[in-house]
Amino acid sequence: MELLFLVLFALHILKREALAVSHWCYESQKYEDPLCQGPREWYQIYATCKGEKQSPINIVTKNVVLDKSLNSLNFEGYDVKESSAWDIENNGHTVKVTLDTSAKIGGGGLGRKYKAAEFHFHWGVQVGQQYLPGSEHSIDGEKQAMELHIVHIREDASDIEAAKKYANGVAVLAFFIKIEEENRNYTSLISELENIKYKGQTAQMEPLPLSSLIPPEEDLGRYYRYEGSLTTPDCYEGVIWTIFEKPIALSLSQITQFSTVYFDGKNSTPMAENFRPVQFLNGREVYRSSASILLPTAKLLLLLLMLTYILSSLCQ
Ligand SMILES: *[C@@H]1O[C@H](CO)[C@@H](O)[C@H](O)[C@H]1NC(C)=O
Ligand SMILES: [Zn+2]
């Protein structure tokens, strides 16, 4: 009897230990914390993570369906600077800015207006002179260096938890970030990273107009659209994804700054490769908007035609 009691007690302790360490993490954290639950195990704690409409996905362009009703989105308040300071946070998974803004999106086949709630990033890792890309979505198998997610919730929802009660509660705008020239509009945000090195740290920063962090509106007519999920637990399904074709440009040194923050406290792993692997499409369609960017050759042809026309009218 006493032995049984002891065994039960030991089991109880073990179970408690197991629960205490079973927090979700990215694959890149398993080296430091082998017991944490990586993307393939998330469903053990959060059943939705093995649902049929998960994100991110690889977009295969030859299978994408043109949807003529997908016109340009309306960006409301995107060029306004918020009056209150931005809270930038290292939450142990990403760098996140919580928004308290009137910025909204509508149109573009969304069906209703959604208000901006927060934005955060996913990134890769530097290996020698190379950068292993860390975007979540990919196009024809190709990933980009980073991905920015601006998370919007239904206008009538008070916060993200309330929005998740609906079937279409969340709309995320996704932007790829490519290694190019330096983007000064990101200077202040990146310089805050040294103040949020460790998990749980927050800092306040001067707000920026959201439009200054993304490509100009005239470049946002081309995008992909599909129904998916949040890419972190609880993997809530009910997210309308908009993935813009035009990437944001940052320099390599700006991109590598993101890995100066850590997944946890001092001596923990630098935050890198904080992306979820691509998920099955499971019969979902991916649509593309109708706006078309003229191909460089088409532009050249048009220019030649115009020149010919002008010259011929001059020579008459
Ligand atoms: C920076 O922001 C300004 C103002 O919003 C904008 O006009 C400019 O195009 C942005 N620069 C880049 C590189 O995105
Ligand atoms: Zn994200």
PDB file of all heavy atoms in Angstrom, residues 293-312:
ATOM      1  N   ILE A 293       1.150  44.333 -63.006  1.00  0.00           N
ATOM      2  CA  ILE A 293       2.310  45.203 -63.168  1.00  0.00           C
ATOM      3  C   ILE A 293       2.835  44.921 -64.569  1.00  0.00           C
ATOM      4  O   ILE A 293       2.942  43.764 -64.972  1.00  0.00           O
ATOM      5  CB  ILE A 293       3.387  44.867 -62.102  1.00  0.00           C
ATOM      6  CG1 ILE A 293       2.870  45.194 -60.719  1.00  0.00           C
ATOM      7  CG2 ILE A 293       4.683  45.586 -62.410  1.00  0.00           C
ATOM      8  CD1 ILE A 293       3.820  44.753 -59.609  1.00  0.00           C
ATOM      9  N   LEU A 294       3.103  45.977 -65.336  1.00  0.00           N
ATOM     10  CA  LEU A 294       3.646  45.745 -66.665  1.00  0.00           C
ATOM     11  C   LEU A 294       5.038  45.139 -66.526  1.00  0.00           C
ATOM     12  O   LEU A 294       5.848  45.591 -65.725  1.00  0.00           O
ATOM     13  CB  LEU A 294       3.733  47.056 -67.441  1.00  0.00           C
ATOM     14  CG  LEU A 294       2.422  47.606 -68.008  1.00  0.00           C
ATOM     15  CD1 LEU A 294       2.675  48.940 -68.679  1.00  0.00           C
ATOM     16  CD2 LEU A 294       1.826  46.624 -69.005  1.00  0.00           C
ATOM     17  N   LEU A 295       5.261  44.096 -67.312  1.00  0.00           N
ATOM     18  CA  LEU A 295       6.595  43.486 -67.301  1.00  0.00           C
ATOM     19  C   LEU A 295       7.588  44.477 -67.885  1.00  0.00           C
ATOM     20  O   LEU A 295       7.217  45.303 -68.723  1.00  0.00           O
ATOM     21  CB  LEU A 295       6.584  42.214 -68.160  1.00  0.00           C
ATOM     22  CG  LEU A 295       5.748  41.076 -67.596  1.00  0.00           C
ATOM     23  CD1 LEU A 295       5.573  39.986 -68.642  1.00  0.00           C
ATOM     24  CD2 LEU A 295       6.407  40.504 -66.352  1.00  0.00           C
ATOM     25  N   PRO A 296       8.848  44.430 -67.487  1.00  0.00           N
ATOM     26  CA  PRO A 296       9.842  45.364 -68.024  1.00  0.00           C
ATOM     27  C   PRO A 296       9.842  45.388 -69.551  1.00  0.00           C
ATOM     28  O   PRO A 296       9.887  46.459 -70.157  1.00  0.00           O
ATOM     29  CB  PRO A 296      11.168  44.830 -67.492  1.00  0.00           C
ATOM     30  CG  PRO A 296      10.798  44.065 -66.258  1.00  0.00           C
ATOM     31  CD  PRO A 296       9.408  43.542 -66.488  1.00  0.00           C
ATOM     32  N   THR A 297       9.750  44.222 -70.193  1.00  0.00           N
ATOM     33  CA  THR A 297       9.762  44.186 -71.659  1.00  0.00           C
ATOM     34  C   THR A 297       8.525  44.865 -72.230  1.00  0.00           C
ATOM     35  O   THR A 297       8.596  45.574 -73.229  1.00  0.00           O
ATOM     36  CB  THR A 297       9.834  42.731 -72.177  1.00  0.00           C
ATOM     37  OG1 THR A 297       8.968  41.944 -71.391  1.00  0.00           O
ATOM     38  CG2 THR A 297      11.236  42.181 -72.113  1.00  0.00           C
ATOM     39  N   ALA A 298       7.396  44.675 -71.567  1.00  0.00           N
ATOM     40  CA  ALA A 298       6.159  45.298 -72.029  1.00  0.00           C
ATOM     41  C   ALA A 298       6.263  46.821 -71.932  1.00  0.00           C
ATOM     42  O   ALA A 298       5.819  47.549 -72.814  1.00  0.00           O
ATOM     43  CB  ALA A 298       4.984  44.788 -71.207  1.00  0.00           C
ATOM     44  N   LYS A 299       6.887  47.273 -70.844  1.00  0.00           N
ATOM     45  CA  LYS A 299       7.079  48.714 -70.649  1.00  0.00           C
ATOM     46  C   LYS A 299       7.953  49.284 -71.766  1.00  0.00           C
ATOM     47  O   LYS A 299       7.676  50.338 -72.316  1.00  0.00           O
ATOM     48  CB  LYS A 299       7.770  48.976 -69.302  1.00  0.00           C
ATOM     49  CG  LYS A 299       6.825  49.261 -68.170  1.00  0.00           C
ATOM     50  CD  LYS A 299       7.633  49.722 -66.964  1.00  0.00           C
ATOM     51  CE  LYS A 299       6.830  49.576 -65.690  1.00  0.00           C
ATOM     52  NZ  LYS A 299       7.686  49.607 -64.506  1.00  0.00           N
ATOM     53  N   LEU A 300       9.009  48.556 -72.081  1.00  0.00           N
ATOM     54  CA  LEU A 300       9.960  48.969 -73.103  1.00  0.00           C
ATOM     55  C   LEU A 300       9.263  49.061 -74.458  1.00  0.00           C
ATOM     56  O   LEU A 300       9.429  50.030 -75.197  1.00  0.00           O
ATOM     57  CB  LEU A 300      11.107  47.952 -73.158  1.00  0.00           C
ATOM     58  CG  LEU A 300      12.408  48.464 -73.774  1.00  0.00           C
ATOM     59  CD1 LEU A 300      13.002  49.547 -72.879  1.00  0.00           C
ATOM     60  CD2 LEU A 300      13.399  47.317 -73.924  1.00  0.00           C
ATOM     61  N   LEU A 301       8.447  48.057 -74.754  1.00  0.00           N
ATOM     62  CA  LEU A 301       7.713  48.035 -76.020  1.00  0.00           C
ATOM     63  C   LEU A 301       6.799  49.241 -76.133  1.00  0.00           C
ATOM     64  O   LEU A 301       6.728  49.891 -77.170  1.00  0.00           O
ATOM     65  CB  LEU A 301       6.871  46.754 -76.107  1.00  0.00           C
ATOM     66  CG  LEU A 301       7.543  45.578 -76.810  1.00  0.00           C
ATOM     67  CD1 LEU A 301       6.677  44.342 -76.729  1.00  0.00           C
ATOM     68  CD2 LEU A 301       7.810  45.952 -78.274  1.00  0.00           C
ATOM     69  N   LEU A 302       6.125  49.527 -75.007  1.00  0.00           N
ATOM     70  CA  LEU A 302       5.189  50.650 -74.969  1.00  0.00           C
ATOM     71  C   LEU A 302       5.934  51.955 -75.239  1.00  0.00           C
ATOM     72  O   LEU A 302       5.483  52.803 -76.001  1.00  0.00           O
ATOM     73  CB  LEU A 302       4.531  50.685 -73.596  1.00  0.00           C
ATOM     74  CG  LEU A 302       3.185  51.400 -73.533  1.00  0.00           C
ATOM     75  CD1 LEU A 302       2.157  50.639 -74.360  1.00  0.00           C
ATOM     76  CD2 LEU A 302       2.714  51.490 -72.086  1.00  0.00           C
ATOM     77  N   LEU A 303       7.112  52.082 -74.626  1.00  0.00           N
ATOM     78  CA  LEU A 303       7.938  53.266 -74.776  1.00  0.00           C
ATOM     79  C   LEU A 303       8.363  53.429 -76.241  1.00  0.00           C
ATOM     80  O   LEU A 303       8.289  54.518 -76.806  1.00  0.00           O
ATOM     81  CB  LEU A 303       9.171  53.123 -73.872  1.00  0.00           C
ATOM     82  CG  LEU A 303       9.901  54.414 -73.556  1.00  0.00           C
ATOM     83  CD1 LEU A 303       9.044  55.267 -72.629  1.00  0.00           C
ATOM     84  CD2 LEU A 303      11.242  54.116 -72.884  1.00  0.00           C
ATOM     85  N   LEU A 304       8.768  52.316 -76.845  1.00  0.00           N
ATOM     86  CA  LEU A 304       9.196  52.334 -78.249  1.00  0.00           C
ATOM     87  C   LEU A 304       8.050  52.760 -79.146  1.00  0.00           C
ATOM     88  O   LEU A 304       8.218  53.585 -80.050  1.00  0.00           O
ATOM     89  CB  LEU A 304       9.685  50.936 -78.664  1.00  0.00           C
ATOM     90  CG  LEU A 304      11.131  50.623 -78.299  1.00  0.00           C
ATOM     91  CD1 LEU A 304      11.477  49.178 -78.629  1.00  0.00           C
ATOM     92  CD2 LEU A 304      12.064  51.581 -79.057  1.00  0.00           C
ATOM     93  N   LEU A 305       6.858  52.219 -78.873  1.00  0.00           N
ATOM     94  CA  LEU A 305       5.674  52.566 -79.658  1.00  0.00           C
ATOM     95  C   LEU A 305       5.387  54.059 -79.562  1.00  0.00           C
ATOM     96  O   LEU A 305       5.110  54.719 -80.562  1.00  0.00           O
ATOM     97  CB  LEU A 305       4.463  51.779 -79.156  1.00  0.00           C
ATOM     98  CG  LEU A 305       4.280  50.394 -79.764  1.00  0.00           C
ATOM     99  CD1 LEU A 305       3.185  49.637 -79.041  1.00  0.00           C
ATOM    100  CD2 LEU A 305       3.965  50.533 -81.253  1.00  0.00           C
ATOM    101  N   MET A 306       5.486  54.570 -78.318  1.00  0.00           N
ATOM    102  CA  MET A 306       5.202  55.986 -78.083  1.00  0.00           C
ATOM    103  C   MET A 306       6.213  56.852 -78.824  1.00  0.00           C
ATOM    104  O   MET A 306       5.855  57.843 -79.462  1.00  0.00           O
ATOM    105  CB  MET A 306       5.232  56.309 -76.590  1.00  0.00           C
ATOM    106  CG  MET A 306       3.906  56.048 -75.900  1.00  0.00           C
ATOM    107  SD  MET A 306       4.077  56.004 -74.114  1.00  0.00           S
ATOM    108  CE  MET A 306       4.661  57.668 -73.816  1.00  0.00           C
ATOM    109  N   LEU A 307       7.491  56.473 -78.739  1.00  0.00           N
ATOM    110  CA  LEU A 307       8.562  57.216 -79.409  1.00  0.00           C
ATOM    111  C   LEU A 307       8.317  57.237 -80.911  1.00  0.00           C
ATOM    112  O   LEU A 307       8.433  58.286 -81.560  1.00  0.00           O
ATOM    113  CB  LEU A 307       9.919  56.573 -79.119  1.00  0.00           C
ATOM    114  CG  LEU A 307      10.632  57.079 -77.870  1.00  0.00           C
ATOM    115  CD1 LEU A 307      11.905  56.277 -77.621  1.00  0.00           C
ATOM    116  CD2 LEU A 307      10.979  58.571 -78.051  1.00  0.00           C
ATOM    117  N   THR A 308       7.976  56.075 -81.456  1.00  0.00           N
ATOM    118  CA  THR A 308       7.723  55.965 -82.887  1.00  0.00           C
ATOM    119  C   THR A 308       6.593  56.909 -83.283  1.00  0.00           C
ATOM    120  O   THR A 308       6.668  57.628 -84.278  1.00  0.00           O
ATOM    121  CB  THR A 308       7.312  54.512 -83.240  1.00  0.00           C
ATOM    122  OG1 THR A 308       8.138  53.632 -82.508  1.00  0.00           O
ATOM    123  CG2 THR A 308       7.439  54.240 -84.723  1.00  0.00           C
ATOM    124  N   TYR A 309       5.570  56.903 -82.434  1.00  0.00           N
ATOM    125  CA  TYR A 309       4.395  57.724 -82.705  1.00  0.00           C
ATOM    126  C   TYR A 309       4.765  59.211 -82.682  1.00  0.00           C
ATOM    127  O   TYR A 309       4.419  59.974 -83.596  1.00  0.00           O
ATOM    128  CB  TYR A 309       3.311  57.433 -81.672  1.00  0.00           C
ATOM    129  CG  TYR A 309       2.105  58.318 -81.811  1.00  0.00           C
ATOM    130  CD1 TYR A 309       1.164  58.076 -82.805  1.00  0.00           C
ATOM    131  CD2 TYR A 309       1.923  59.407 -80.954  1.00  0.00           C
ATOM    132  CE1 TYR A 309       0.065  58.901 -82.939  1.00  0.00           C
ATOM    133  CE2 TYR A 309       0.835  60.237 -81.078  1.00  0.00           C
ATOM    134  CZ  TYR A 309      -0.101  59.986 -82.072  1.00  0.00           C
ATOM    135  OH  TYR A 309      -1.179  60.811 -82.202  1.00  0.00           O
ATOM    136  N   ILE A 310       5.507  59.609 -81.639  1.00  0.00           N
ATOM    137  CA  ILE A 310       5.906  61.016 -81.503  1.00  0.00           C
ATOM    138  C   ILE A 310       6.784  61.430 -82.673  1.00  0.00           C
ATOM    139  O   ILE A 310       6.574  62.469 -83.309  1.00  0.00           O
ATOM    140  CB  ILE A 310       6.635  61.253 -80.149  1.00  0.00           C
ATOM    141  CG1 ILE A 310       5.659  61.072 -78.986  1.00  0.00           C
ATOM    142  CG2 ILE A 310       7.269  62.644 -80.103  1.00  0.00           C
ATOM    143  CD1 ILE A 310       6.319  60.976 -77.629  1.00  0.00           C
ATOM    144  N   LEU A 311       7.775  60.603 -82.989  1.00  0.00           N
ATOM    145  CA  LEU A 311       8.700  60.901 -84.089  1.00  0.00           C
ATOM    146  C   LEU A 311       7.953  61.032 -85.414  1.00  0.00           C
ATOM    147  O   LEU A 311       8.177  61.971 -86.171  1.00  0.00           O
ATOM    148  CB  LEU A 311       9.773  59.809 -84.194  1.00  0.00           C
ATOM    149  CG  LEU A 311      10.899  59.922 -83.171  1.00  0.00           C
ATOM    150  CD1 LEU A 311      11.861  58.751 -83.297  1.00  0.00           C
ATOM    151  CD2 LEU A 311      11.646  61.247 -83.364  1.00  0.00           C
ATOM    152  N   SER A 312       7.050  60.074 -85.624  1.00  0.00           N
ATOM    153  CA  SER A 312       6.339  60.106 -86.900  1.00  0.00           C
ATOM    154  C   SER A 312       5.422  61.331 -86.995  1.00  0.00           C
ATOM    155  O   SER A 312       5.267  61.907 -88.059  1.00  0.00           O
ATOM    156  CB  SER A 312       5.539  58.812 -87.122  1.00  0.00           C
ATOM    157  OG  SER A 312       4.510  58.757 -86.171  1.00  0.00           O
TER     158      SER A 312
END
